[in-house]
Amino acid sequence: MSEAASVQAVRATIGDSEFDRDTAVTLREPGVYDIDLSAGWTIINAVNGGYLLAVLGRALADALPHSDPFTISAHYLTASQPGPAVVRTDVVRTGRTLSTGQASLFQYDEAGREVERIRVLASYGDLDTLPDDVRTTAKAPAIPPMDQCFGPQDAPAPIPGSSAITDRLFLKLDPSTLGWALGAPSGKGEMRAWFGLADGRDADPLSLLLAVDALPPTAFEIGLSGWVPTVELTVHVRSRPAPGPLRVSITTRNLAGGFLEEDAEVWDSADRLVAQSRQLARVRLG
Amino acid sequence: MSEAASVQAVRATIGDSEFDRDTAVTLREPGVYDIDLSAGWTIINAVNGGYLLAVLGRALADALPHSDPFTISAHYLTASQPGPAVVRTDVVRTGRTLSTGQASLFQYDEAGREVERIRVLASYGDLDTLPDDVRTTAKAPAIPPMDQCFGPQDAPAPIPGSSAITDRLFLKLDPSTLGWALGAPSGKGEMRAWFGLADGRDADPLSLLLAVDALPPTAFEIGLSGWVPTVELTVHVRSRPAPGPLRVSITTRNLAGGFLEEDAEVWDSADRLVAQSRQLARVRLG
């Protein structure tokens, strides 16, 4: 069965999909949520930072009077593992248009003590109440048609040390940003792809938090291998995405002193810039 | 006396300047700092958000084992006023290379109760220990020589409702981003300027937090007037700035739904990209 056909056959919906089940948090007491972090969203052995941000974002959507993360800033403290975790939220301020909250995700050490993994500050609103004015001068990234792009499924053999998350994503990379995979990185800090969820679930504000951190690191195209752990990631969600695949473009302009920034833009099928993000990451040479 | 001569005559130094005196925090008890917010850094009646970020950044530099803000994310909650304030810090995690802290700035209501103004999450390190590798593809902004740029002092009469902060800054705006001041905004969301402190103090990592939020809003060049309050501002400090004036470039690409992003780059006299920032701001039509 072709990939496209398989997506059609099992098409999941917002609220009933792998992503929704794996980010579901259970209220333990007011402001405190339990979750079992899924092993399905790991890259090598690390839980993907965008998936983790979506988990925190979902807890805050429950804790705050507004439902959509307008701007969410995460500082990554220690590496998360699949398994039990607790999210502790704090309502900082509630307003008519915006409310601000804080959340931390903790896991447990051998002695059962909580170890903080990520801390987040976020301001939430309601995307559906925003006026329709758009004066965007940003241009959607020029990515070739999907059938001219390449995903992990197109590789002749499984990539060594490949990652559970590749089965959950529909990712088709622009061949002009794929030089690294052929041993010939372009030297430009760019990565572009079509992005969706493998089960066909459409995008929503929470899955945009995943989309901004799901492509291979731009460092690969700069000619660096090894791990590029996120120090801080801030995402602005600017519009509710239309149904259909997203286009994600990631750019690094400043690699210096062992750190780099990654700027992501996410465009929806209606040609709207639905999310912008920036992260600061460390370069750990492999 | 010419402006340049006056700067030479009273040249202040890092540690002994208006900026240093006005951001000085006094330890009240471990992790808690008092400050009197200066009326010298106001725009109309609001205390400048970059000055406030520098105050919080300075408290965290004292509270954390590292001295330089590598990435600092601020969510602005309520409008600050000149006068007494307290900064409460929390050490989130300390590591060898990076440590992470949280800080909140509070002022007092009529009943003397604390009202939170800003909450910040930040990861600090030591810029002087970073390796020298630079692979920046970003280009410094093309700003005409300083004597072809214009500052508030060049206006024929004081700007109505003008602001105390203009006396503290050395700001020379690129004439190609000054159309708004002549009633002919370019329609492009760009603002560029030479930036320094009026007393001649050189830049350091803390004053970079001021530099990213000190230019007129890009919204003016898009043709909007009125207030553009910051919701969230994240700054990455990437290098210790060399002595001499800075160049600051601010760009907005996506004005939509009543919000816009402002991306700032700060370049030093040695042509290094020393800071990058992004903020989400609300557009309040005037």
Side-chain angles (χ1 to χ4, degrees):
Chain A
M1 189 163 60
S2 80
E3 191 172 271
S6 94
V7 168
Q8 289 298 328
V10 299
R11 193 168 187 91
T13 56
I14 294 173
D16 183 13
S17 74
E18 288 179 325
F19 177 77
D20 294 288
R21 284 186 287 277
D22 289 348
T23 57
V25 292
T26 306
L27 188 68
R28 181 201 290 186
E29 59 189 71
V32 181
Y33 301 85
D34 288 297
I35 182 163
D36 198 50
L37 295 178
S38 164
W41 305 87
T42 49
I43 298 187
I44 315 293
N45 293 316
V47 182
N48 173 263
Y51 162 70
L52 293 167
L53 189 57
V55 167
L56 285 151
R58 190 153 169 187
L60 279 170
D62 189 79
L64 292 171
H66 295 95
S67 58
D68 300 320
F70 278 27
T71 170
I72 181 164
S73 310
H75 287 246
Y76 292 79
L77 307 169
T78 55
S80 299
Q81 311 296 331
V86 58
V87 178
R88 299 184 177 278
T89 65
D90 177 27
V91 177
V92 177
R93 177 182 175 268
T94 59
R96 195 173 50 84
T97 310
L98 292 173
S99 52
T100 300
Q102 177 175 322
S104 291
L105 185 141
F106 299 87
Q107 290 191 300
Y108 307 95
D109 67 11
E110 297 78 1
R113 286 178 299 242
E114 289 187 357
V115 179
E116 191 167 356
R117 300 298 194 206
I118 310 172
R119 192 175 292 202
V120 159
L121 266 182
S123 292
Y124 274 55
D126 183 350
L127 288 170
D128 298 327
T129 64
L130 297 183
D132 283 334
D133 64 302
V134 178
R135 299 204 210 179
T136 300
T137 56
K139 296 273 181 296
I143 304 182
M146 225 177 269
D147 60 6
Q148 295 169 30
C149 292
F150 297 91
Q153 299 81 357
D154 302 310
I159 299 166
S162 74
S163 304
I165 196 171
T166 58
D167 293 334
R168 305 290 178 106
L169 303 181
F170 173 79
L171 204 58
K172 288 286 190 182
L173 288 146
D174 182 337
S176 71
T177 65
L178 259 177
W180 58 275
L182 307 168
S186 69
K188 286 187 281 195
E190 296 177 6
M191 200 65 69
R192 290 184 293 275
W194 294 94
F195 176 91
L197 292 164
D199 61 9
R201 176 198 191 272
D202 279 318
D204 71 349
L206 282 181
S207 75
L208 293 177
L209 305 183
L210 172 69
V212 299
D213 195 38
L215 271 57
T218 53
F220 287 1
E221 270 296 274
I222 300 175
L224 303 171
S225 57
W227 196 34
V228 191
T230 304
V231 175
E232 171 264 324
L233 167 62
T234 297
V235 187
H236 299 175
V237 176
R238 302 296 303 276
S239 183
R240 187 175 301 285
L246 302 169
R247 286 157 293 169
V248 182
S249 161
I250 302 187
T251 308
T252 293
R253 300 171 71 235
N254 189 35
L255 164 61
F259 288 82
L260 54 78
E261 99 286 9
E262 273 198 6
D263 284 2
E265 283 188 2
V266 185
W267 293 75
D268 72 2
S269 61
D271 244 14
R272 292 242 348 218
L273 179 49
V274 291
Q276 292 170 293
S277 76
R278 175 173 287 170
Q279 67 172 267
L280 183 70
R282 286 174 78 170
V283 180
R284 289 210 162 119
L285 298 180
Chain B
M1 189 161 61
S2 79
E3 193 173 87
S6 95
V7 167
Q8 289 300 327
V10 299
R11 192 167 188 91
T13 55
I14 294 173
D16 182 14
S17 73
E18 288 177 325
F19 177 76
D20 295 288
R21 285 185 287 278
D22 289 348
T23 57
V25 292
T26 306
L27 188 68
R28 181 201 292 185
E29 58 190 71
V32 182
Y33 302 85
D34 287 298
I35 182 164
D36 198 48
L37 295 177
S38 163
W41 304 87
T42 48
I43 297 186
I44 317 293
N45 293 315
V47 183
N48 172 263
Y51 163 68
L52 293 167
L53 189 57
V55 168
L56 285 152
R58 190 153 168 187
L60 278 170
D62 188 79
L64 292 171
H66 295 96
S67 58
D68 301 318
F70 277 27
T71 170
I72 181 164
S73 308
H75 287 246
Y76 292 80
L77 307 168
T78 56
S80 299
Q81 311 296 330
V86 57
V87 178
R88 299 185 177 276
T89 64
D90 177 27
V91 177
V92 177
R93 177 181 175 268
T94 59
R96 194 172 51 84
T97 311
L98 293 173
S99 52
T100 301
Q102 176 173 322
S104 291
L105 185 140
F106 299 86
Q107 291 190 301
Y108 307 95
D109 68 10
E110 298 78 1
R113 286 178 301 241
E114 290 187 358
V115 179
E116 191 167 356
R117 300 299 192 206
I118 311 171
R119 192 175 291 203
V120 158
L121 266 181
S123 293
Y124 275 56
D126 182 349
L127 288 170
D128 298 327
T129 64
L130 297 184
D132 283 334
D133 64 303
V134 178
R135 299 203 210 178
T136 300
T137 56
K139 295 275 182 293
I143 304 183
M146 225 175 270
D147 60 5
Q148 294 169 32
C149 293
F150 297 91
Q153 298 82 355
D154 302 310
I159 298 166
S162 75
S163 304
I165 195 172
T166 58
D167 293 334
R168 306 291 178 108
L169 302 181
F170 173 79
L171 204 59
K172 289 286 188 181
L173 288 146
D174 182 336
S176 70
T177 65
L178 259 178
W180 59 274
L182 307 168
S186 68
K188 286 186 282 193
E190 297 177 6
M191 201 64 70
R192 289 184 293 274
W194 293 95
F195 176 91
L197 292 165
D199 61 9
R201 176 198 191 270
D202 280 317
D204 71 348
L206 282 179
S207 75
L208 293 177
L209 305 183
L210 173 70
V212 299
D213 195 39
L215 272 57
T218 53
F220 287 1
E221 271 298 272
I222 301 175
L224 303 172
S225 58
W227 196 33
V228 191
T230 303
V231 176
E232 171 264 324
L233 168 61
T234 297
V235 187
H236 299 175
V237 176
R238 303 296 303 276
S239 184
R240 187 175 300 283
L246 302 169
R247 285 157 294 169
V248 182
S249 162
I250 303 187
T251 309
T252 293
R253 301 172 69 236
N254 189 36
L255 164 59
F259 289 81
L260 54 78
E261 100 285 7
E262 272 199 4
D263 284 1
E265 282 187 2
V266 185
W267 292 76
D268 72 3
S269 62
D271 244 14
R272 287 217 32 189
L273 179 48
V274 292
Q276 292 170 292
S277 76
R278 175 173 288 169
Q279 68 172 264
L280 184 71
R282 286 174 78 169
V283 180
R284 290 210 162 120
L285 298 181

